[in-house]
Amino acid sequence: MNSKIYPLQFDAILKERIWGGEKLKTILNKPITSSITGESWELSTVEGDVSVVANGDYKGKALTELINELPNEILGTAVYKRFGNQFPLLFKYLDAREDLSIQVHPNDELAKKRHNSFGKTEMWYVMQADADARIIVGFKNDSSAKEYVEHLNNKTLTSILDDVKAKPGDVFFLETGTVHAIGAGLVVAEIQQTSDITYRLYDFDRKDAQGNTRELHVDLALDAINYKKVNTYKEYTKEVNKSNTVVDCPYFTTNFIPLENEKEVVNSGMSFVVYMCVEGSFEIAYDGVTYQYIKGDTVLIPAAMKNYNLKGKASILEIYIS
């Protein structure tokens, strides 16, 4: 096998959702064909939704297959040692034309026990927000399972949940157990552990085109919820041409790069790096070749790519595992 290493892009995995819209096309240039497209999975190894390389020598190859053949080169020595051949993160863009369901994700221990899966710690970067767009993040005050169930049964759950106005550039970090919902009118970039385990608590009694309501997971959620008030909003600096730390947790590190002109990058080879272009456009110059990216693009930098340059004018999320 030719083990040439270069920046990897993947075909978008598009998901229709009852709450989705068309902004993934109009704002992020995704090839959607449905007016209710809610998600573009950019980089995934979730079973049944494995990303396929869209460019270069490995075009058409599944990410899982590529990792099996080149584990250290793709994942990095430290990531491979920790996770084996598993790709531990999932990257998405979401368009919420309507409110998403109110939901919660289990932690690693519970997810492993019940679903043989990772938990789902995640973060949102707000790319676009309509006027007065809001998100739900946790409880207004410390609560309890008893209070939660009472309000759920009375359909007054939202009265005890904290909702926050969201604007472009806002970042929210959601540890497992945090009750949450993305509100209508938002486009967000989402970075999370590789997991598709979601407990849906309340869906505003919506019905799909066939008149069916979506399944709720009230009982499963009871011992997954953190009933304490939490602070999810992340403040961060925006120093030009620097990797400004936004989130640094055991599962991933996310930096914000306001790119102006050029930035040299030197990697240790211990982890892959992912770039999500959330505004503007940029290029990666590597090994005598220039690769171009626009808003909405996501690119995986294999760990074996040690030295390269970023060029352009863009806002970029930089993600790796430390």
Side-chain angles (χ1 to χ4, degrees):
M1 174 182 175
N2 177 7
S3 58
K4 176 178 169 62
I5 293 297
Y6 60 94
L8 298 166
Q9 282 188 278
F10 298 84
D11 295 323
I13 301 171
L14 302 172
K15 301 282 188 178
E16 286 191 344
R17 297 290 187 245
I18 194 171
W19 41 261
E22 298 180 278
K23 287 181 181 176
L24 293 181
K25 179 179 181 178
T26 58
I27 295 178
L28 300 187
N29 307 293
K30 300 301 172 185
I32 69 172
T33 57
S34 164
S35 61
I36 55 166
T37 304
E39 301 182 18
S40 175
W41 290 24
E42 298 288 294
L43 195 45
S44 165
T45 55
V46 173
E47 187 175 354
D49 287 303
V50 175
S51 293
V52 174
V53 179
N55 69 313
D57 290 358
Y58 302 130
K59 184 175 181 178
K61 188 180 286 287
L63 177 56
T64 46
E65 186 182 353
L66 195 55
I67 289 171
N68 285 336
E69 294 173 352
L70 298 167
N72 282 301
E73 292 88 341
I74 300 297
L75 295 175
T77 52
V79 174
Y80 180 52
K81 184 177 180 180
R82 179 175 168 189
F83 295 100
N85 281 21
Q86 292 179 291
F87 191 76
L89 299 178
L90 173 59
F91 298 83
K92 303 176 182 177
Y93 294 113
L94 292 89
D95 167 23
R97 179 179 51 86
E98 297 180 1
D99 293 336
L100 273 66
S101 62
I102 298 173
Q103 55 192 237
V104 72
H105 305 302
N107 61 24
D108 282 348
E109 183 181 1
L110 204 54
K112 179 70 175 175
K113 177 182 174 183
R114 290 180 177 170
H115 313 284
N116 195 29
S117 170
F118 290 123
K120 190 175 173 183
T121 295
E122 63 187 321
M123 65 157 276
W124 300 329
Y125 176 92
V126 178
M127 297 180 68
Q128 186 271 332
D130 293 351
D132 299 321
R134 309 181 79 80
I135 64 165
I136 288 172
V137 277
F139 293 92
K140 288 180 180 175
N141 301 292
D142 289 356
S143 184
S144 66
K146 181 175 183 292
E147 181 184 40
Y148 153 75
V149 170
E150 286 176 357
H151 281 277
L152 190 63
N153 291 336
N154 293 331
K155 299 192 177 183
T156 55
L157 180 59
T158 55
S159 70
I160 62 171
L161 298 178
D162 197 13
D163 69 332
V164 181
K165 189 170 180 178
K167 63 185 185 302
D170 282 351
V171 171
F172 298 90
F173 176 60
L174 295 100
E175 295 185 273
T176 53
T178 304
V179 175
H180 62 274
I182 296 173
L186 290 171
V187 174
V188 305
E190 181 175 281
I191 299 148
Q192 58 163 94
Q193 291 175 268
T194 291
S195 171
D196 202 28
I197 307 301
T198 294
Y199 297 156
R200 191 178 296 121
L201 312 180
Y202 183 58
D203 197 34
F204 307 99
D205 302 313
R206 281 183 292 208
K207 295 182 179 180
D208 63 18
Q210 286 72 46
N212 302 313
T213 56
R214 294 197 293 173
E215 181 184 5
L216 300 180
H217 312 97
V218 176
D219 292 337
L220 283 172
L222 276 174
D223 57 354
I225 293 173
N226 175 9
Y227 295 98
K228 300 290 187 182
K229 179 178 173 62
V230 294
N231 179 26
T232 61
Y233 185 78
K234 303 296 287 188
E235 300 273 3
Y236 60 99
T237 58
K238 298 179 180 179
E239 190 176 350
V240 171
N241 292 337
K242 299 291 184 183
S243 294
N244 301 273
T245 302
V246 182
V247 168
D248 187 11
C249 74
Y251 305 105
F252 55 85
T253 296
T254 299
N255 300 325
F256 180 77
I257 302 175
L259 183 65
E260 298 275 359
N261 299 320
E262 188 168 356
K263 172 181 167 62
E264 183 180 0
V265 181
V266 179
N267 285 337
S268 66
M270 298 182 71
S271 172
F272 61 86
V273 179
V274 171
Y275 293 118
M276 303 180 85
C277 184
V278 294
E279 194 61 61
S281 62
F282 73 101
E283 301 173 346
I284 293 176
Y286 173 70
D287 197 23
V289 181
T290 299
Y291 304 84
Q292 298 183 328
Y293 307 98
I294 60 173
K295 183 177 180 178
D297 281 346
T298 301
V299 56
L300 171 63
I301 306 298
M305 269 183 63
K306 297 290 183 66
N307 298 59
Y308 54 90
N309 282 5
L310 306 179
K311 300 179 181 179
K313 184 175 176 59
S315 296
I316 305 168
L317 300 181
E318 177 184 59
I319 306 99
Y320 53 85
I321 294 177
S322 54

